[in-house]
């Protein structure tokens, strides 16, 4: 879902990350507020004042989204759902769950926390706007606070649309789940609502384009495309998790994989191993024990002239939780770790020994076979 990310800070035990796509939306919001929204509502100020209001308004929205997602994360932690972090991206923010909620109640409580937080923020900023206006602190201050009260109210209302994966869609899924007792079936119905809502937004975007509202039309269309795609992918991902959660890594791993000595040169690695097997990642061993991993991608930043001088140990990734897994863990856990780390192959390590290697294509093949066999 995300591209390059920057870790901003840690809040209440959660890492808050910024996807670089957020920079675009922050600039767009600041520009829209400074050149359109605030000048229209509060005429008569200088351009620098409007730009200050725009930047502060965008920063306030940033903080509001962080608090919205933080509320999801805190409730998720209460129900034992691991959250790998909070990420802000072009379409808002997301609390990244490492697994689905265990019960319909946990799903409902986690989902409703975000809109309630936004409603609380809307009320808080509204009271502050009234207070600052009465205190005579100036129109720019009360204007920004009024905007933040309004935008948080809009965020709360929009997120309560019963279209998965919006918060309202998760509330809808929780209700269906509790009534039907089947999470997958509930997800299918909630995701269908999400796809329909996405198509409606795309239609709204097209209508806006034809009526001359270029930016608004493009924006509604992009949000619609994102929701349609996210809701369609949600059911695929959930079905894959259900197929994999009962299968262990030991079942699909390749035993006795091709290994690379830690002390050979990169030239030897390329000539004797990469071209010899066409694998993209290799376990690195030292004195017969796993020491790390190295892949084709690790060579892309090096000069060919240095391949005779550099050794595998200079570029390898040491053993860590990101490139290793135990044979008794589930293939669903392996797939989740691959998504998190970007590694398409993981070293299977047990008691300090290399038991095998598990590849993304093997897990995908397992999913295809289980679907075919019902």
């Amino acid at each position: 879902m995300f591209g390059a990310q920057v870790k901003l800070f840690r809040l209440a035990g959660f890492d808050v990350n910024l996807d670089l796509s957020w920079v675009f939306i922050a600039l767009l919001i600041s520009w829209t507020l400074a050149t359109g929204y605030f000048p229209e509502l509060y005429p008569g100020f200088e351009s620098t004042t409007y730009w200050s209001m725009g930047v502060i308004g965008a920063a306030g929205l940033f903080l509001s989204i962080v608090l919205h997602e933080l509320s999801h994360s805190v409730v998720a932690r209460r129900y034992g759902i691991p959250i790998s972090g909070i990420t802000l991206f072009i379409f808002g923010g997301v609390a990244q769950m490492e697994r689905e909620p265990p019960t319909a109640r946990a799903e409902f409580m986690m989902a409703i926390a975000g809109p309630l937080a936004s409603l609380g923020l809307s009320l808080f900023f509204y009271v502050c706007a009234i207070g600052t206006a009465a205190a005579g602190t100036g129109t720019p201050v009360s204007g920004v606070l009024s905007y933040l009260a309004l935008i948080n109210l809009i965020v709360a209302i929009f997120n309560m649309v019963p279209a998965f994966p919006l918060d309202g869609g998760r509330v809808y899924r929780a209700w269906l789940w509790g009534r039907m007792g089947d999470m997958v079936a509930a997800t299918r119905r909630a995701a269908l609502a999400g796809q329909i809502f996405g198509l409606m937004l795309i239609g709204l975007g097209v209508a806006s384009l034809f009526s001359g509202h270029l930016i608004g039309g493009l924006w509604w269309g992009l949000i619609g495309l994102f929701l349609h795609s996210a809701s369609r992918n949600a059911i695929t991902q959930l079905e894959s998790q259900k197929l994999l959660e009962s299968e262990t890594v030991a079942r699909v791993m390749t035993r006795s994989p091709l290994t690379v000595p830690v002390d050979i040169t990169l030239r030897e690695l390329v000539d004797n191993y990469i071209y010899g097997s066409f694998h993209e990642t290799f376990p690195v061993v030292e004195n017969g024990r796993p020491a790390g991993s190295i892949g084709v991608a690790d060579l892309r930043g090096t000069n060919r002239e240095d391949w005779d001088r550099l050794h595998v140990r200079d570029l390898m990734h040491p053993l860590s939780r990101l490139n290793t897994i135990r044979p008794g863990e589930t293939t669903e856990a392996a797939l989740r770790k691959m998504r998190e780390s970007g590694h398409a192959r993981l070293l299977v390590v047990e008691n300090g020994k290399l038991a095998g290697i598990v590849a993304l294509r093997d897990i995908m093949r397992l999913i295809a076979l289980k679907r075919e066999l019902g």
Side-chain angles (χ1 to χ4, degrees):
M1 178 187 292
F2 306 115
Q5 296 183 32
V6 177
K7 179 179 176 180
L8 298 181
F9 49 83
R10 191 168 177 83
L11 181 63
F14 302 101
D15 291 335
V16 178
N17 305 307
L18 183 72
D19 186 85
L20 294 185
S21 63
W22 172 260
V23 176
F24 168 78
I25 189 61
L27 292 174
L28 179 61
I29 291 172
S30 299
W31 175 75
T32 302
L33 292 176
T35 61
Y37 181 83
F38 287 132
E40 184 175 342
L41 289 180
Y42 311 105
F45 293 101
E46 296 183 357
S47 176
T48 53
T49 300
Y50 290 129
W51 273 103
S52 297
M53 294 171 70
V55 171
I56 295 172
L61 177 58
F62 167 89
L63 176 62
S64 298
I65 293 175
V66 169
L67 294 177
H68 177 109
E69 298 303 330
L70 179 65
S71 66
H72 288 310
S73 303
V74 170
V75 175
R77 183 167 57 188
R78 178 183 175 186
Y79 284 95
I81 306 169
I83 301 292
S84 59
I86 297 170
T87 299
L88 302 181
F89 68 116
I90 190 170
F91 294 114
V94 62
Q96 296 171 267
M97 294 188 300
E98 294 188 4
R99 64 170 180 262
E100 293 291 343
T103 64
R105 175 179 173 80
E107 169 83 320
F108 174 82
M109 297 301 292
M110 189 189 72
I112 201 68
L116 289 178
S118 292
L119 283 175
L121 286 170
S122 177
L123 179 61
F124 170 76
F125 285 122
Y126 177 70
V127 171
C128 289
I130 293 177
T132 54
T137 56
T139 300
V141 176
S142 61
V144 170
L145 292 170
S146 297
Y147 160 74
L148 292 175
L150 175 62
I151 196 64
N152 274 283
L153 179 62
I154 292 173
V155 168
I157 294 173
F158 181 79
N159 271 280
M160 280 308 296
V161 174
F164 196 87
L166 295 177
D167 295 337
R170 289 189 172 275
V171 170
Y172 178 46
R173 181 174 77 161
W175 178 74
L176 290 172
W177 184 3
R179 193 184 71 170
M180 301 166 63
D182 187 335
M183 183 185 185
V184 175
T187 304
R188 286 197 186 99
R189 291 180 59 173
L192 177 60
Q195 293 178 58
I196 293 172
F197 184 60
L199 290 175
M200 291 172 60
L201 291 182
I202 292 172
L204 176 62
V206 172
S208 298
L209 287 174
F210 279 108
S211 63
H213 298 89
L214 179 62
I215 294 179
L218 288 174
W219 195 239
W220 284 121
L222 287 173
I223 294 175
L225 283 172
F226 169 75
L227 287 177
H228 186 271
S229 175
S231 57
R232 185 176 58 189
N233 291 339
I235 183 61
T236 302
Q237 182 175 336
L238 179 61
E239 289 177 341
S240 298
Q241 289 175 353
K242 292 299 180 183
L243 290 172
L244 296 175
E245 64 184 7
S246 61
E247 301 289 349
T248 63
V249 169
R251 183 162 185 173
V252 297
M253 73 180 185
T254 300
R255 301 177 186 275
S256 303
L258 178 64
T259 60
V260 171
V262 71
D263 55 357
I264 65 170
T265 66
L266 299 185
R267 179 75 63 186
E268 292 174 293
L269 171 67
V270 172
D271 293 341
N272 300 333
Y273 291 88
I274 294 178
Y275 285 140
S277 66
F278 294 102
H279 293 324
E280 291 195 0
T281 305
F282 299 87
V284 179
V285 295
E286 184 174 19
N287 298 324
R289 302 182 70 84
S293 64
I294 191 168
V296 176
D298 300 315
L299 301 177
R300 290 175 185 152
T302 62
N303 295 320
R304 289 176 177 268
E305 293 78 11
D306 295 330
W307 286 1
D308 293 311
R309 178 179 59 84
L310 294 175
H311 293 78
V312 166
R313 70 167 71 250
D314 298 321
L315 269 70
M316 74 174 189
H317 300 277
L319 294 183
S320 70
R321 69 173 189 86
L322 294 178
N323 63 357
T324 62
I325 195 164
R326 295 189 302 273
E329 293 189 62
T330 65
T331 47
E332 192 276 327
L335 186 60
R336 186 171 65 242
K337 186 169 291 191
M338 289 175 181
R339 286 197 301 264
E340 180 185 354
S341 65
H343 294 300
R345 303 179 91 205
L346 299 176
L347 279 61
V348 184
V349 178
E350 186 175 32
N351 298 324
K353 297 181 180 180
L354 182 66
I357 193 165
V358 59
L360 176 61
R361 67 171 180 267
D362 296 326
I363 296 177
M364 294 296 102
R365 188 178 298 120
L366 175 63
I367 293 173
L369 286 172
K370 295 197 74 169
R371 283 178 175 161
E372 185 175 346
L373 296 173

